[in-house]
Amino acid sequence: MTIRVMLVDDQVLLRTGFRMVLAAQPDMEVVAEAGDGVEALQVLRSTAVDVVLMDVRMPKLDGVETTRRICADTDPPKVLILTTFDLDEYAFSGLKAGASGFMLKDVPPGELLAAIRAVHSGDAVVAPSTTRRLLDRFAPMLPSGGRQPQHKELERLTEREREVMVLVAQGLSNGEIAARLVLSEATVKTHVGRILTKLGLRDRVQVVVLAYETGLVRAGGHG
């Protein structure tokens, strides 16, 4: 199955570089490009896209607001935020807006390709340790600062599901969670799927964000 990718960046040279890398992959195809958010939204109305590589700092409409509008649609493509600086507040805002992850623009090609495949599959968090560091830094900016979980939907989770959610929020993979809780990896995947369904979340990155927002996990990565 070919992953249909859209490149959204105001730097033509950067889009050209990404397009060359993706074009060499048998399972990827660049089906659209845009130089700003307004153009991206227009193109998406008529083009089927699976994954959007989204720059954050663009003229007319920035990547965060563009991501928010894309993710508000029914069955939207996955969005992977590209940022110039590690721990950029724009990347955090992008995750809040519905992006499935973020990468630095100078990421090695192999890591970028792996990230696109991971985001497309929905099975993995992109750079979970970096996502956790990002959230640790910006957790004080979150609206819910309480130490006790405030999100009433969390009450729908079983005790085991809450345990799994905390470990997901700490950046552990399904395999690592399975080892920690002495479960099979398939069982962990089932738990993660139930968490997403019960809380109405799109992917694991949104689990991480919600865990911080509700106080289920606090800055420093401890539940």
Side-chain angles (χ1 to χ4, degrees):
M1 179 180 176
T2 301
I3 302 173
R4 298 166 295 189
V5 180
M6 179 178 188
L7 307 176
V8 184
D9 197 298
D10 59 338
Q11 298 180 47
V12 177
L13 193 60
L14 203 68
R15 295 205 310 265
T16 301
F18 283 142
R19 186 170 63 245
M20 290 173 64
V21 171
L22 270 56
Q25 304 304 306
D27 62 338
M28 294 184 192
E29 179 185 2
V30 176
V31 295
E33 295 185 34
D36 61 64
V38 172
E39 184 183 359
L41 293 173
Q42 290 173 342
V43 171
L44 280 171
R45 292 193 190 106
S46 59
T47 307
V49 174
D50 298 312
V51 177
V52 179
L53 295 188
M54 178 74 70
D55 185 24
V56 285
R57 303 181 188 190
M58 296 182 295
K60 297 184 181 178
L61 193 66
D62 67 34
V64 174
E65 181 58 28
T66 306
T67 296
R68 186 175 290 111
R69 295 186 191 186
I70 289 172
C71 293
D73 286 343
T74 304
D75 194 25
K78 304 284 189 178
V79 178
L80 182 58
I81 293 282
L82 295 172
T83 180
T84 308
F85 303 104
D86 197 5
L87 300 185
D88 190 326
E89 68 273 17
Y90 287 96
F92 173 76
S93 300
L95 294 181
K96 287 277 294 171
S100 296
F102 75 95
M103 302 292 289
L104 297 179
K105 284 187 177 180
D106 61 357
V107 65
E111 289 186 29
L112 176 66
L113 296 170
I116 292 171
R117 293 183 180 107
V119 166
H120 180 248
S121 71
D123 285 341
V125 172
V126 179
S129 61
T130 310
T131 301
R132 189 171 66 249
R133 291 207 325 276
L134 181 89
L135 286 164
D136 282 349
R137 175 167 171 176
F138 292 106
M141 296 164 54
L142 293 170
S144 301
R147 287 181 170 269
Q148 296 302 315
Q150 302 297 320
H151 208 270
K152 63 181 180 181
E153 265 116 358
L154 292 181
E155 296 171 6
R156 300 177 189 170
L157 302 182
T158 64
E159 187 175 344
R160 176 63 87 188
E161 287 165 353
R162 193 175 287 217
E163 278 184 286
V164 171
M165 182 172 177
V166 168
L167 295 176
V168 168
Q170 291 174 359
L172 275 64
S173 67
N174 284 354
E176 290 167 336
I177 295 171
R180 180 79 62 91
L181 299 180
V182 196
L183 300 170
S184 73
E185 198 164 336
T187 299
V188 172
K189 193 168 183 178
T190 298
H191 282 313
V192 172
R194 286 177 180 158
I195 292 167
L196 294 176
T197 300
K198 286 183 178 181
L199 301 182
L201 303 176
R202 186 177 298 109
D203 54 35
R204 295 167 70 106
V205 170
Q206 293 194 333
V207 171
V208 177
V209 172
L210 181 62
Y212 275 78
E213 280 187 316
T214 58
L216 190 64
V217 170
R218 296 187 296 278
H222 302 293

